[in-house]
């Protein structure tokens, strides 16, 4: 077999990853959670059934939020969808309650996965991840401000960067998303 077919597979995988809303720091933090829990377990207090219930709820909230946000973005794309090249400022759906719902979704998934595993390590890795990703987010916001000018400034004034408990409650979001909003 020549190098050409594998190059096309590699190219295709790269294209898929570039449109996948999975930030590299999230992948690194999830891997660190697993590794640290394996090497030096630090159990969360409480029963494992409570961990499973709370963790599953958080994972489901994040898993629900990410596709909803992605679908809303795709719905607003006229041509081929490119996540990093927005054609229009999306302010509806989950973007009406958070300027960055996909990041929030991944954070909920990570918090839920750590809770499901009953590991306290997520309480250390998640804040570190948030700090790293916050820098990326500020850069994304600067780009959006450049692209969309005054309409982005008005949107940023109206919608919180991450989540706001009062807005989530007013939007009648599922209880777990409202609870998760308290953390942000």
């Amino acid at each position: 077999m020549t190098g050409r077919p594998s190059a096309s597979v590699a190219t295709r995988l790269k294209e898929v990853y570039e449109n996948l809303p999975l930030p590299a720091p999230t992948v690194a933090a999830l891997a660190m959670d697993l590794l640290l829990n394996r090497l030096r377990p630090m159990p969360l207090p409480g029963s494992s059934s409570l961990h499973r219930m709370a963790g599953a709820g958080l994972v489901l909230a994040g898993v629900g939020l990410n596709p909803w946000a992605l679908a809303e973005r795709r719905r607003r794309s006229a041509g081929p969808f490119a996540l990093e090249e927005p054609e229009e400022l999306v302010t509806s759906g989950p973007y009406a309650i958070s300027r960055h719902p996909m990041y929030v979704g991944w954070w909920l998934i990570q918090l839920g996965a750590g809770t499901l595993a009953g590991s306290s390590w997520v309480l250390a890795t998640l804040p570190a991840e948030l700090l790293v990703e916050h820098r990326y987010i500020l850069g994304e916001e600067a780009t959006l401000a450049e692209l969309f000018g005054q309409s982005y400034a008005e949107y940023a004034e109206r919608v919180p960067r991450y989540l706001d408990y009062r807005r989530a409650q007013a939007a009648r979001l599922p209880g777990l998303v409202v609870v998760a909003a308290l953390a942000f």
Side-chain angles (χ1 to χ4, degrees):
M1 184 177 244
T2 66
R4 195 165 189 92
S6 64
S8 64
V9 169
T11 301
R12 181 67 183 128
L13 287 174
K14 183 179 180 218
E15 288 171 2
V16 168
Y17 180 76
E18 287 173 352
N19 257 341
L20 185 69
L22 178 55
T26 299
V27 174
L30 283 166
M32 285 297 293
D33 287 345
L34 291 171
L35 181 64
L36 290 169
N37 193 44
R38 175 83 95 187
L39 295 175
R40 187 156 171 88
M42 284 186 17
L44 284 170
S47 71
S48 60
S49 62
L50 177 63
H51 299 156
R52 284 191 302 269
M53 189 171 59
L58 289 165
V59 167
L60 288 173
V63 166
L65 190 56
N66 276 340
W68 182 27
L70 194 57
E72 193 68 18
R73 281 284 310 278
R74 284 181 193 226
R75 192 170 69 81
R76 301 300 187 123
S77 296
F81 177 68
L83 185 63
E84 297 299 322
E85 298 172 15
E87 300 171 23
E88 178 182 330
L89 180 62
V90 179
T91 61
S92 56
Y95 293 92
I97 56 169
S98 171
R99 295 195 311 260
H100 303 282
M102 285 187 257
Y103 282 105
V104 173
W106 284 114
W107 298 336
L108 290 172
I109 290 168
Q110 182 186 354
L111 182 59
T115 304
L116 261 170
S119 172
S120 294
W121 284 111
V122 72
L123 301 175
T125 59
L126 184 60
E129 175 194 348
L130 293 175
L131 289 173
V132 169
E133 286 181 341
H134 182 71
R135 290 179 44 146
Y136 289 110
I137 289 166
L138 294 177
E140 287 178 8
E141 288 186 345
T143 300
L144 291 169
E146 246 179 66
L147 285 171
F148 301 111
Q150 185 60 33
S151 58
Y152 184 78
E154 291 167 3
Y155 171 64
E157 182 70 29
R158 207 177 55 249
V159 176
R161 180 174 283 136
Y162 302 121
L163 278 179
D164 179 332
Y165 170 74
R166 293 174 307 275
R167 290 176 198 260
Q169 190 176 38
R172 297 194 188 331
L173 291 178
L176 288 169
V177 175
V178 173
V179 169
L182 290 172
F184 296 103

